């Protein structure tokens, strides 16, 4: 058992979409043998010893986080002013600027490459990496072939102002192939996994900004670990694991057909095995935590 205590601060489970990120870190730190606790601004922590802790928090929920000079802080979208005299790193989302050495969140900043999906801006204490699947390596599902008799396409996520145009196009893609689109938001990890496996296909639909910057969502890693091959409308996602390793079309209204055609390739099982191995090796939260602790 590690003596350093891990403190997840804020976003109790199911209270916010980011709570599932916190839950993944909570479960993974526990699996790695750390004493792990989950508090928020409403908890009475007056009798808790916060010496020698590692805190993980997010900018919307860190108002009452304890500040302790013997502890370290993993921050995501936080105002760092109050942490200036403390040991911290900024956890940032991987985007394509990293591959050309630019620190996307800090104008003029530069990053050093740790591996193809992990970059560090030491000046601004910014660690760039994508999210990951919440499954552990031993929990991955086997390949699930396409079943034409399935009519539902479940999309796990939220429809909002910035992605509604893309979701509407995806709806047309589903209707055009006589499939029913079902938007399933705020589901538990277990429910999400079950729905993805029940779905005819499980693509990823990116809004324009994400396509432009090369954002890599957790949905891609999760769906592969659940036994599915996701199509995408982002060329950066298509090539993230290697050139043309995922089904891709920039025309969202053709996304269902694109994903279906990929499943009909004679080498589809071999391609899935490659993707599953890559996610199992490099894109779990165990992997993400190891890089965080190395940099911290």
């Amino acid at each position: 058992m590690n003596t350093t205590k891990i403190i997840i601060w804020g976003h109790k489970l199911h209270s916010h979409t980011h709570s599932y990120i916190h839950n993944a870190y909570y479960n993974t730190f526990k699996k790695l043998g750390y004493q792990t606790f989950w508090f928020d601004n409403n908890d009475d922590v007056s009798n808790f010893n916060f010496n020698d802790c590692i805190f993980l928090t997010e900018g919307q929920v860190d108002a009452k986080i304890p500040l302790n000079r013997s502890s370290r802080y993993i921050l995501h979208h936080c105002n760092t002013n109050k942490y200036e005299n403390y040991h911290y790193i900024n956890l940032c989302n991987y985007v394509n600027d990293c591959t050309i050495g630019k620190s996307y969140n800090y104008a003029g900043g530069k990053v050093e490459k740790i591996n193809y999906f992990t970059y560090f801006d030491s000046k601004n204490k910014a660690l760039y990496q994508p999210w990951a699947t919440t499954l552990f390596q031993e929990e991955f599902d086997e390949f699930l072939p396409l079943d034409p008799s399935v009519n539902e396409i479940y999309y796990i996520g939220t429809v909002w102002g910035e992605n509604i145009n893309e979701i509407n196009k995806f709806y047309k893609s589903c209707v055009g192939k006589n499939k029913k689109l079902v938007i399933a938001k705020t589901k538990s990890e277990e429910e999400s996994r079950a729905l993805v496996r029940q779905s005819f296909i499980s693509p990823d639909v990116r809004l324009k900004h994400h396509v432009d910057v090369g954002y890599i969502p957790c949905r891609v890693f999760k769906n592969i670990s659940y036994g599915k091959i996701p199509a995408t409308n982002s060329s950066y996602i298509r090539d993230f694991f290697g050139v043309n390793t995922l089904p891709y079309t920039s025309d969202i209204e053709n996304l269902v057909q694109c994903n279906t055609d990929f499943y009909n390739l004679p080498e589809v099982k071999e391609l899935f095995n490659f993707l599953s191995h890559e996610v199992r090796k490099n894109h779990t939260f165990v992997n993400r935590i190891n890089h965080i602790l190395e940099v911290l």
Side-chain angles (χ1 to χ4, degrees):
M1 175 68 72
N2 272 287
T3 56
T4 299
K5 299 185 290 290
I6 304 297
I7 311 297
I8 311 298
W9 191 273
H11 291 312
K12 292 289 182 69
L13 191 57
H14 307 309
S15 65
H16 187 276
T17 55
H18 199 84
S19 73
Y20 302 108
I21 298 292
H22 278 187
N23 191 52
Y25 279 116
Y26 176 78
N27 290 333
T28 306
F29 272 116
K30 287 183 67 175
K31 184 177 178 65
L32 292 173
Y34 288 88
Q35 300 178 69
T36 308
F37 304 87
W38 197 341
F39 300 125
D40 67 15
N41 293 331
N42 297 316
D43 286 318
D44 181 2
V45 294
S46 56
N47 294 319
F48 192 90
N49 181 359
F50 286 109
N51 289 328
D52 192 28
C53 293
I54 295 177
F55 288 85
L56 185 145
T57 191
E58 193 268 341
Q60 300 173 80
V61 289
D62 70 336
K64 295 183 180 180
I65 192 169
L67 296 176
N68 183 293
R69 294 195 183 280
S70 69
S71 293
R72 289 162 286 176
Y73 295 83
I74 303 164
L75 311 177
H76 182 61
H77 289 170
C78 293
N79 183 332
T80 59
N81 289 340
K82 74 178 181 181
Y83 299 98
E84 281 186 359
N85 296 318
Y86 299 87
H87 192 134
Y88 71 88
I89 61 169
N90 292 306
L91 201 57
C92 302
N93 295 122
Y94 167 99
V95 291
N96 192 62
D97 268 6
C98 294
T99 66
I100 56 175
K102 292 184 178 180
S103 185
Y104 178 79
N105 290 30
Y106 299 91
K110 297 181 179 180
V111 296
E112 296 179 5
K113 182 178 181 179
I114 296 176
N115 55 41
Y116 78 89
F117 55 88
T118 313
Y119 295 79
F120 186 55
D121 172 358
S122 58
K123 178 180 179 181
N124 295 296
K125 304 179 183 179
L127 176 65
Y128 291 86
Q129 56 182 5
W131 302 122
T133 179
T134 55
L135 298 187
F136 298 120
Q137 289 184 338
E138 64 274 14
E139 297 175 326
F140 276 45
D141 287 317
E142 296 297 321
F143 177 60
L144 198 61
L146 203 64
D147 182 354
S149 69
V150 174
N151 291 320
E152 289 77 20
I153 295 178
Y154 292 98
Y155 192 80
I156 315 299
T158 302
V159 179
W160 52 309
E162 291 194 26
N163 72 352
I164 192 167
N165 289 335
E166 288 79 9
I167 296 299
N168 283 338
K169 291 178 182 177
F170 182 44
Y171 170 77
K172 292 179 182 178
S173 182
C174 296
V175 171
K177 296 300 175 183
N178 297 313
K179 301 298 181 182
K180 179 183 178 182
L181 175 62
V182 181
I183 304 294
K185 70 174 187 176
T186 318
K187 296 292 182 182
S188 70
E189 298 292 350
E190 294 76 15
E191 290 173 315
S192 296
R193 182 180 182 179
L195 288 177
V196 166
R197 288 187 60 78
Q198 293 169 29
S199 185
F200 173 61
I201 55 171
S202 299
D204 180 69
V205 182
R206 287 294 102 200
L207 55 90
K208 184 180 183 302
H209 172 67
H210 286 174
V211 170
D212 290 344
V213 302
Y215 173 77
I216 310 296
C218 62
R219 181 181 290 108
V220 169
F221 305 121
K222 288 180 177 180
N223 289 359
I224 292 170
S225 71
Y226 300 159
K228 294 280 195 169
I229 300 175
T232 177
N233 63 311
S234 166
S235 61
Y236 292 117
I237 296 173
R238 175 197 63 191
D239 296 336
F240 182 72
F241 301 105
V243 177
N244 290 323
T245 50
L246 286 175
Y248 161 79
T249 175
S250 60
D251 178 10
I252 299 174
E253 292 187 26
N254 193 42
L255 200 60
V256 174
Q257 185 64 54
C258 170
N259 214 157
T260 305
D261 290 345
F262 195 88
Y263 269 92
N264 289 327
L265 294 174
E267 67 272 25
V268 66
K269 182 67 179 299
E270 181 181 348
L271 290 167
F272 172 80
N273 288 340
F274 164 76
L275 292 167
S276 181
H277 176 267
E278 186 63 23
V279 174
R280 184 182 279 109
K281 177 183 177 183
N282 289 317
H283 301 292
T284 69
F285 272 88
V286 171
N287 178 275
R288 298 296 181 263
I289 284 173
N290 285 338
H291 286 123
I292 288 171
L293 296 181
E294 178 185 348
V295 170
L296 192 63

